[in-house]
Amino acid sequence: MSAIAHESFDGALVVKTMGREAEETARFAVRAGELRDALISVGRLRGVFDPMLETLPSLGTLAVLLVGAWRLRQGQVTVTELVSVAFLFTVLAFPVRAIGWVLAELPRSVAGWERVRRVLTAEGEMPYGAGVRDAHGRPATLRFDSVSFGYEDAAVLTDVSFTVPAGRTVALVGPTGSGKSTIASLAVRLVDPGSGTVFLDDTPSHELSAASLAETIALVPQVPFVFDDSVRANVTLDRPGVADEDVWAALRMAQADGFVASLPEGLDTHVGERGATLSGGQRQRLTLSRALAGRPGLLVLDDSTSAVDPRVEAAILASLRSADPPVTILVVAYRRATIALADEVVYIEQGRVIATGTHAELLATVPGYTDLVTAYEQAEAERERERAFEEAL
Ligand SMILES: Nc1ncnc2c1ncn2[C@@H]1O[C@H](COP(=O)(O)OP(=O)(O)OP(=O)(O)O)[C@@H](O)[C@H]1O
Ligand SMILES: [Mg+2]
């Protein structure tokens, strides 16, 4: 019920633009109706059982008194005995009622316990090692060694191996659903491989401590997340040692300093829930600044500049590549210009590395790659035409 309400409010824009308000309201009404019916039947049951539980002890006392009075007349019991038994019965009334309450609460508690137990026994907490990468501020080398990964039974990645040398930029290219975001998650150890190893420098990433890992790597996810807070808080995330100069430096590198400077309160401007007051491209650049502010040794960009225009994207990549100290970059990219900026390209299809090499080499030797990049380029040209058309209007 609360899940549906949450979804309806969250997806309000979709619901409204698709004209599905009535259907969404009906979906909510069905669930609300179900909840109401359930509560009514609970009320009915309680209406029957509660009075019964209340009257039972009194009926018992009445029976004791009747039988007792009869046996008293026959001289089988004394007045003292009768009064004692009747008194004991009234004393018993409370515990009997308490048992009723317990029985009534039991199903609810069992259901609650089941939920708590599921949380308490949840597995999958990642064990971290004690390894520390004492090279903060230096670019890291990322190496996938025969990595395979699957969700449940479905294999997503098979025997993936590639290296991003320290300070270099590697573009990850592949059709939709080929496993690019999965590789990004593995690179920053959001998940562990089913087999094979992800190395950071020469250390398997699972041997590093959580703190060292967080200091070394930064992921800018495919879908940016912006907190309902100020620009400053969104960039620093309360990490110690990130001063305002660092925030501005990160914003500059992400080509976000311009729009932040023009906000009414600069760094103190609140950006609204999920960054609602920002444009899509501004949100992406803000999340990129957040990743840069920690001065990571490895930056993983999962299609994280798709909403900024190609010129700005090229400027961002250029400034990242000339960053001082340098940073290692693994970038999931679609635009030909972006891909061409990378030192090397890893091309994947259906979770397997098909080819590795420079953009020019792959264009010359891998037909699938050429097709994909050409298709991207056509889509991009289309979008560029639309943009120009809108500007001309
Ligand atoms: N949480 C999940 N549970 C089950 N399967 C998943 C999950 N996440 C991804 N997959 C599957 O894994 C495969 C690879 O997904 P992934 O997100 O890595 O693709 P991608 O290359 O990033 O695609 P895109 O270009 O569309 O972002 C897909 O077939 C997808 O359906
Ligand atoms: Mg993806």
Side-chain angles (χ1 to χ4, degrees):
M1 170 96 179
S2 69
I4 287 201
H6 199 221
E7 213 172 70
S8 310
F9 293 131
D10 253 10
L13 215 62
V14 179
V15 172
K16 213 171 155 77
T17 51
M18 299 275 165
R20 308 306 286 169
E21 285 111 320
E23 287 73 7
E24 243 346 73
T25 312
R27 194 161 81 106
F28 186 74
V30 168
R31 277 303 171 85
E34 280 170 12
L35 183 66
R36 182 201 55 201
D37 291 348
L39 285 176
I40 289 178
S41 58
V42 167
R44 281 225 180 89
L45 268 178
R46 291 197 84 127
V48 174
F49 278 107
D50 279 0
M52 261 168 64
L53 281 171
E54 289 290 317
T55 46
L56 264 179
S58 315
L59 284 177
T61 316
L62 196 66
V64 165
L65 284 177
L66 284 177
V67 174
W70 176 63
R71 297 194 61 165
L72 190 68
R73 276 251 303 271
Q74 295 186 339
Q76 283 168 331
V77 290
T78 64
V79 174
T80 326
E81 279 167 345
L82 176 60
V83 170
S84 318
V85 172
F87 177 70
L88 282 177
F89 241 83
T90 49
V91 169
L92 264 179
F94 180 75
V96 168
R97 231 177 281 163
I99 289 172
W101 294 329
V102 169
L103 286 179
E105 283 302 317
L106 203 60
R108 220 186 295 189
S109 316
V110 169
W113 165 241
E114 192 46 41
R115 269 187 239 165
V116 172
R117 198 186 57 84
R118 242 181 285 157
V119 173
L120 290 181
T121 58
E123 282 182 19
E125 192 184 316
M126 274 192 169
Y128 290 93
V132 173
R133 186 177 170 272
D134 56 356
H136 191 40
R138 271 207 296 111
T141 300
L142 171 70
R143 184 157 65 87
F144 272 55
D145 183 23
S146 250
V147 170
S148 297
F149 180 83
Y151 291 105
E152 319 272 279
D153 287 334
V156 173
L157 298 178
T158 316
D159 199 21
V160 169
S161 298
F162 66 90
T163 304
V164 190
R168 289 322 199 61
T169 301
V170 165
L172 196 56
V173 180
T176 180
S178 54
K180 302 181 296 292
S181 296
T182 310
I183 291 182
S185 303
L186 284 158
V188 299
R189 207 180 168 222
L190 281 179
V191 288
D192 275 329
S195 66
T197 314
V198 177
F199 288 92
L200 279 170
D201 294 335
D202 291 321
T203 317
S205 62
H206 61 260
E207 285 180 13
L208 288 173
S209 71
S212 188
L213 210 56
E215 216 171 60
T216 306
I217 52 185
L219 168 73
V220 186
Q222 196 160 13
V223 182
F225 190 88
V226 175
F227 295 92
D228 182 11
D229 208 329
S230 65
V231 171
R232 180 188 289 104
N234 262 293
V235 176
T236 64
L237 283 192
D238 284 334
R239 282 170 292 186
V242 185
D244 275 8
E245 306 91 80
D246 304 312
V247 173
W248 280 114
L251 288 170
R252 251 193 313 279
M253 226 189 284
Q255 307 287 313
D257 52 329
F259 86 80
V260 172
S262 68
L263 290 173
E265 290 168 67
L267 289 184
D268 291 310
T269 313
H270 276 248
V271 293
E273 200 172 329
R274 298 192 180 206
T277 62
L278 302 176
S279 77
Q282 289 172 337
R283 275 198 287 271
Q284 286 193 330
R285 281 176 280 164
L286 195 59
T287 41
L288 175 60
S289 312
R290 177 191 298 152
L292 291 171
R295 297 182 169 279
L298 168 69
L299 185 63
V300 179
L301 306 174
D302 188 358
D303 188 23
S304 31
T305 42
S306 56
V308 299
D309 77 62
R311 276 159 300 209
V312 178
E313 185 181 43
I316 292 173
L317 262 202
S319 69
L320 289 180
R321 281 169 52 87
S322 58
D324 180 34
V327 54
T328 309
I329 303 170
L330 177 66
V331 54
V332 175
Y334 291 91
R335 291 178 179 141
R336 192 179 186 129
T338 320
I339 300 171
L341 272 179
D343 298 301
E344 202 169 52
V345 177
V346 174
Y347 177 59
I348 61 166
E349 268 177 24
Q350 297 181 349
R352 287 173 194 272
V353 176
I354 302 293
T356 313
T358 64
H359 174 60
E361 281 166 9
L362 296 197
L363 275 183
T365 55
V366 186
Y369 178 75
T370 316
D371 293 347
L372 188 69
V373 173
T374 314
Y376 284 157
E377 202 165 39
Q378 277 163 359
E380 187 58 38
E382 187 81 10
R383 240 174 299 164
E384 192 63 20
R385 265 199 298 278
E386 276 168 22
R387 244 194 304 262
F389 183 65
E390 275 164 24
E391 268 169 31
L393 279 179

